[in-house]
Amino acid sequence: MGLFGKTEKKIIADLCKKSEDIGKDISNEIDELFNELKSDYDENKQVVKEFSDFVNQIKSKLDPEEASRLVEFTSKVSKVKRCAKKGVEAMRELSRDQRKATRETVREYQEYLYT
């Protein structure tokens, strides 16, 4: 004799299915957002290097104060690139963690169903 009767097992099975469906929907949405973000990042990741090269080309044509401001601006743009890269990495981790949480939740429901 198990811990649960047919009614309880049906409720647990329904909750398991619902949790799995919700988890998969969330995972799919996160994956779509991750792929979009990664695609945009990959498409634009060379911009900072191109901008830095351009700054180096024109720096000598500017007065020292303007050149210094442009170099400072280049540094700020580089920080934006690092933030974007961290955002892509965070989305990848979020995607992985969501899939893992969904699998663990389903596994726990199944443990109750088969005890």
Side-chain angles (χ1 to χ4, degrees):
M1 178 174 189
L3 282 173
F4 303 108
K6 285 186 177 188
T7 305
E8 289 85 3
K9 283 190 175 189
K10 182 177 178 357
I11 292 170
I12 292 172
D14 290 345
L15 286 173
C16 178
K17 178 68 174 143
K18 192 173 191 177
S19 292
E20 186 174 19
D21 290 345
I22 290 170
K24 284 180 180 179
D25 288 346
I26 292 170
S27 291
N28 288 339
E29 190 171 335
I30 290 171
D31 287 343
E32 287 174 18
L33 292 170
F34 167 69
N35 290 332
E36 185 179 319
L37 182 63
K38 184 172 181 346
S39 173
D40 288 347
Y41 175 79
D42 289 343
E43 184 178 312
N44 293 295
K45 68 182 177 182
Q46 293 298 320
V47 171
V48 173
K49 183 180 179 337
E50 292 171 9
F51 184 71
S52 295
D53 292 345
F54 176 70
V55 167
N56 288 332
Q57 289 175 359
I58 66 168
K59 194 168 39 173
S60 61
K61 299 175 185 173
L62 302 172
D63 67 55
E65 184 181 320
E66 290 174 326
S68 174
R69 288 179 56 203
L70 195 56
V71 168
E72 184 180 319
F73 183 70
T74 302
S75 173
K76 290 178 182 179
V77 170
S78 294
K79 288 179 183 178
V80 170
K81 179 185 175 187
R82 283 193 298 275
C83 288
K85 185 175 182 178
K86 287 180 182 179
V88 170
E89 291 169 0
M91 283 295 289
R92 181 182 305 114
E93 288 177 25
L94 180 63
S95 176
R96 185 195 68 226
D97 292 348
Q98 173 59 36
R99 284 190 303 273
K100 182 179 175 183
T102 299
R103 283 191 308 267
E104 288 176 5
T105 301
V106 169
R107 191 175 321 121
E108 287 176 5
Y109 276 121
Q110 289 173 347
E111 284 178 16
Y112 284 112
L113 282 173
Y114 301 114
T115 56

